[in-house]
Amino acid sequence: FLCSSQDFDFFYFVQQWPASYCDTRQSCCYPTTGKPNEDFSIHGLWPNYNNGKWPQNCDTASSLDISQISDLKKRMEKDWVTLACPSGDGMKFWGHEWEKHGTCTSLDEHTYFESALDLKNKANLLQHLKQAGIQPGNFFTMESMKRAIKEGVGYEAYIECNVDTQGNHQIYQVYMCVDKSAKNFIECPILPRGRGCGSRVEFPSLSHHSG
Ligand code: 5GP
Ligand code: 5GP
Ligand code: 5GP
């Protein structure tokens, strides 16, 4: 990978569906700050090139300075939960995202994290899906989910699936494309290389998990 900061074309804004992260053979661990809400949660804001490649780890001397984002901590705990095991408070996940992806943007730490939080609110994915009758706990067609997002947000999203313990394909991550200002959604210049969904996908509910 090339590693020069600011040299990229657009962002992937990636949100994960917690139940689908947890509903796998690998399972998950809820954050030390509590069970996540039944909502999408941020995975990351990733600078990318139009040709599908991307820069990463652009400044190995930079590590997350939590004091710069203390005012965002409550929002991060709600909207950017860590589900990896063992349970954590999020710092490790956020630090990883900053070091791997954030350092390749021209944004300072505070702007980087605040931009992602604002994009989540702006996308409002769950609301748009529910308005189209797509409620967690059921199966839906891939086309109906993509259409609900396109109509709600105004831009096409890319849906990545994984497989639950019963072998069902389920909606795992939603990729949206964002311009270099980190503020506006755009149509994706290139779609991420995919993990198949099939036409019928599960939108699982977190309710039966103990974490
Ligand atoms: P995975 O192999 O699980 O799909 O991705 C592992 C990690 O590679 C992701 O968490 C992310 O950090 C990075 N990554 C995967 N695909 C892309 C991509 O298309 N663009 C960028 N910028 N990073 C990616
Ligand atoms: P990426 O795939 O962006 O490189 O980073 C994912 C990394 O963050 C992995 O090392 C993963 O273990 C860790 N991680 C911690 N919490 C989460 C989470 O809730 N979701 C995902 N996808 N990765 C997490
Ligand atoms: P990493 O090795 O970078 O931590 O993670 C590699 C892949 O495994 C990532 O795509 C991440 O989403 C997934 N992963 C990491 N930790 C966990 C976990 O505790 N549970 C689940 N379900 N996936 C994980």
Side-chain angles (χ1 to χ4, degrees):
F1 300 110
L2 286 173
C3 285
S4 74
S5 147
Q6 307 177 43
D7 165 37
F8 67 97
D9 297 313
F10 70 96
F11 289 102
Y12 282 126
F13 175 58
V14 184
Q15 298 182 70
Q16 61 181 355
W17 181 250
S20 298
Y21 187 96
C22 293
D23 228 347
T24 59
R25 274 199 309 140
Q26 211 176 343
S27 192
C28 74
C29 293
Y30 290 159
T32 53
T33 47
K35 182 177 177 172
N37 291 334
E38 181 126 288
D39 189 9
F40 287 89
S41 184
I42 299 167
H43 179 165
L45 183 62
W46 305 341
N48 221 83
Y49 299 117
N50 285 340
N51 67 6
K53 295 181 187 293
W54 65 86
Q56 61 181 30
N57 300 112
C58 295
D59 181 2
T60 49
S62 169
S63 59
L64 183 66
D65 172 9
I66 195 74
S67 71
Q68 290 189 36
I69 53 168
S70 49
D71 63 313
L72 301 175
K73 198 149 176 279
K74 279 278 161 286
R75 288 178 72 190
M76 307 260 295
E77 286 171 358
K78 181 169 82 65
D79 289 340
W80 202 324
V81 299
T82 182
L83 295 167
C85 296
S87 292
D89 61 4
M91 278 285 297
K92 198 173 163 200
F93 187 28
W94 307 331
H96 168 87
E97 293 299 311
W98 170 253
E99 286 159 31
K100 183 169 180 177
H101 301 285
T103 56
C104 299
T105 71
S106 51
L107 307 174
D108 60 57
E109 257 180 51
H110 193 273
T111 310
Y112 179 75
F113 286 101
E114 188 173 41
S115 299
L117 291 166
D118 290 347
L119 286 166
K120 183 194 177 273
N121 288 343
K122 196 168 173 178
N124 206 3
L125 283 185
L126 185 60
Q127 187 60 30
H128 295 312
L129 289 167
K130 283 183 171 172
Q131 263 158 19
I134 297 170
Q135 302 270 359
N138 296 291
F139 285 80
F140 299 94
T141 64
M142 187 69 178
E143 298 77 70
S144 67
M145 298 186 88
K146 288 198 62 150
R147 196 184 323 118
I149 295 172
K150 169 96 190 173
E151 279 171 12
V153 186
Y155 296 90
E156 195 119 353
Y158 174 81
I159 297 176
E160 177 186 7
C161 291
N162 66 5
V163 177
D164 74 7
T165 49
Q166 271 116 51
N168 298 310
H169 287 267
Q170 56 187 358
I171 178 171
Y172 169 45
Q173 299 201 114
V174 177
Y175 292 66
M176 307 194 57
C177 290
V178 174
D179 70 8
K180 287 186 76 173
S181 74
K183 286 189 164 53
N184 308 300
F185 292 116
I186 56 172
E187 292 298 347
C188 284
I190 185 169
L191 296 175
R193 68 210 143 58
R195 304 224 179 115
C197 277
S199 64
R200 185 172 166 274
V201 294
E202 190 180 8
F203 190 32
S205 171
L206 203 55
S207 53
H208 59 285
H209 273 277
S210 55

